[in-house]
Amino acid sequence: MVGWVEADLDVLRARGLKVIGERDVKPAKAKASRAGQMRMNGLETKFSWILEAQRLRGGIKAWHFHGLTLLLAPDLRYTPDFDAVNLDDTLTLHEVK
């Protein structure tokens, strides 16, 4: 799994987004750990394989699972399942259901 680097966060901050949660979570079979960190379910694990294949082929720079939380309004936060840093440094958010 690729972790956030400061340059990734700088790109988000430059676009006016406030990043309030920055963490790396490793894939696991259980849904939640005792520490409260979310873990991948089966579908999310399969999607992570797709993102990792794209990263290894050079299609994306990086990807993260629950890697950021966006503050959309006071007391309104959104944590996408996955985000991917594209080659042109744009960010794509993915919700897996």
Side-chain angles (χ1 to χ4, degrees), residues 37-76:
Q37 292 180 332
M38 293 302 295
R39 304 220 181 195
M40 290 186 204
N41 62 32
L43 187 58
E44 292 166 338
T45 299
K46 290 175 184 177
F47 189 74
S48 74
W49 297 339
I50 293 169
L51 289 175
E52 184 62 11
Q54 289 179 358
R55 187 187 69 80
L56 292 173
R57 282 194 320 262
I60 60 174
K61 287 184 177 180
W63 63 272
H64 312 94
F65 175 70
H66 289 178
L68 62 95
T69 297
L70 302 175
L71 180 62
L72 303 176
D75 296 323
L76 179 60

Side-chain angles (χ1 to χ4, degrees), residues 9-49:
L9 298 175
D10 289 341
V11 169
L12 294 175
R13 291 181 188 117
R15 293 196 169 119
L17 295 175
K18 181 177 180 182
V19 180
I20 59 172
E22 303 165 9
R23 61 191 179 274
D24 289 326
V25 180
K26 295 182 181 178
K29 292 183 181 179
K31 289 191 176 182
S33 69
R34 291 184 181 188
Q37 292 180 332
M38 293 302 295
R39 304 220 181 195
M40 290 186 204
N41 62 32
L43 187 58
E44 292 166 338
T45 299
K46 290 175 184 177
F47 189 74
S48 74
W49 297 339

